[in-house]
Amino acid sequence: MTIAELKETMRQQPWQVLLIRFAPYILGLIALVILPPFFSTPIQGIWTKFLIFAIFASSYDLAYGHTGLLSLGHAAFFGAGGYTIAVLNLHYGIDSLWIGLPLGILVGALTAVVFGLIALRVLGPFFLMITFALGMLTFSIAWNVRWLNTPGMQGITGVPLPDLGIPGFSWSTISFYYFVLIIFLLCFFLVYRIMNSPFGYSLRGIRDGEPRLRSLGYNTWLHKYLIIIITGAFAGVAGVLYVYYYGMIVPAHLAIGTSFSPMIMVILGGSTTLLGPVIGAAVIEFVGYFASIFTPERWPLILGGIFVVTIMYAPGGINIHLSRLWKRLGERYGSVKS
Amino acid sequence: MSAEAFVLNLLNGLSYGMVLFLLASGLSIVLGLMGIWNLAHGALYMVAGYIGWTIAVHLGMNFWLAVLLGAIAAGLIGLGIERGFLRKLYRQVNEQVLLTFGFLYILTNLSLWVWTGRFRVPFTAPALAGSFIIGDITYPIVRFEIIIIGIIIASGLWWLQERTRIGAIVRAGMDDKEMTMGLGINLDRVSMFTFLLAAFIAGFAGVIGAQFLGVYSGLGLDMLLPALIVVIVGGMGTIQGALFGAVLIGLIDAFGRALFPQLAMFTMYLLMIVILLVRPSGLVGRRI
């Protein structure tokens, strides 16, 4: 629904109906704000990681779900953002957030500028392969270039939490969580705006029938190029936050395994929906955390199993079933008709 | 580079290339016929390698029996993936590719569970365990054997695809699915057998390749990546394309490792990107 439609709905419907309708968002927000302090520190870390990957997955869905571009190279944007922070710390001793974050976003987007130019020259199964090859190319660069590695090892470690420039301020797990939450909410809102803009509609048009959009005079190449750059910037944000939080980055963060994470989150949660990737990220991170307590070795097996079962038996993802359930509850108890 | 080193690298590259060929031929034909990248292909290769190890080394049985059973096991797993899953996602290409990716995770982790993470050293038939000594060069027999097997399989597959009725049906399916089905050909059945054969050959390659590569937990992905490059470089849908690409990549890998060890991986991915941009149908592939 567009902003105008949203305002229209809000004007027409009584507030009870609106409350039920937007309750999932409101409850979700309340949960994100209130719940984490009640958990132990490791679990607060899982909340943080969940939000970081929710940003990554939401942006990936703009390319995969909305535009139909199946890319195996999005980890390169994530890693580019992360490496920016790590290199700034390693070689220049800069830890300021106000330099690091914008630069990380810029580098993520610039990587996407280069990738998009190359990858969009080919179609279909070849797009998949070329994004994969580009991802692996950045992986081998990060592996081999000495400048991108802490001396004596692969990857860069010892990156501190960002310096906000506020005197007397020091980070704790929970304050970093709230910092990530603010950035997540900003990104979530931006993704929502992009999804519901005319640009977002034409992206879905490209997914459903590119020749038709082209014959209507749309520059479909430019649309696809722009969305790759936009997702690159968001992935850069996620990469920056990830490196701040874990204090390290390794070449594997650029490779195919990292591209797999947002993919499975989007598919599990439900692609082309606003909440789907966020739900997917939550399920994967929390199930992953508890699975890694009980059977750390079997986690990839569980992950692969979840993936296969979702694709086969719940192709719409979790979100569709949740929203159907919600709607049915609403119809039964609140006589909401939508 | 001395003459001996040159010959050694040439033979190394050719034998590695032949294993890549066995893997890539199946990938390439499945891609041509069904339009999907089977990302679980490398995992089938690895599982067969483990099964071959169990039979030949752990149980101490005949090596060629191990090759056969490894190939059959991989074929059956492939058949299960195709019948149980891929077929039900008819025409949903993205979902099919993602599904095979899921199976890569599942098979890799299952084999880690069953066979643990220990590296399995290369094993072979007792008769092939020695080395040839020609002049100053000492060279393991298995590498020659692999080159010969590769050439035999390549000729057989080429004959199957280009000179038989079955091959004609597969080629027709690649060119025009609707028309092929309109001629009364059960393309679903054809896809099933193609996938089965591809998985069988991947399994065969798994045990054959274990003769000098060994078997370990990350092998599935390690073999999948160069095999994908081979398909891209050689071109999809043809046996000669896969053979050409595999030999080229095998040689680049061997000489790259010898001459610029830092850049070997980089060169391959760069080559893949350049080929995708300049000739997306590959160097000797079918037109798309």
Side-chain angles (χ1 to χ4, degrees), chain B residues 171-254:
Chain B
R171 280 180 286 133
M174 289 182 193
D175 287 337
D176 194 333
K177 285 197 175 38
E178 318 268 299
M179 188 55 91
T180 315
M181 287 193 275
L183 290 170
I185 287 163
N186 186 347
L187 211 54
D188 180 57
R189 186 74 51 85
V190 176
S191 297
M192 179 182 91
F193 281 117
T194 310
F195 205 87
L196 173 66
L197 183 65
F200 182 85
I201 296 173
F204 179 78
V207 191
I208 291 291
Q211 290 179 94
F212 70 96
L213 290 168
V215 192
Y216 52 93
S217 175
L219 185 65
L221 199 57
D222 281 0
M223 290 305 284
L224 175 70
L225 304 184
L228 292 173
I229 300 174
V230 165
V231 177
I232 295 288
V233 171
M236 69 169 192
T238 64
I239 298 299
Q240 57 271 39
L243 184 62
F244 178 79
V247 170
L248 186 66
I249 293 297
L251 290 176
I252 289 179
D253 180 75

Side-chain angles (χ1 to χ4, degrees), chain A residues 247-284:
Chain A
M248 57 167 285
I249 189 159
V250 292
H253 285 126
L254 296 156
I256 191 163
T258 311
S259 288
F260 187 58
S261 298
M263 205 184 270
I264 186 170
M265 288 165 185
V266 165
I267 295 201
L268 177 64
S271 67
T272 339
T273 58
L274 187 58
L275 278 182
V278 181
I279 295 173
V283 172
I284 294 294

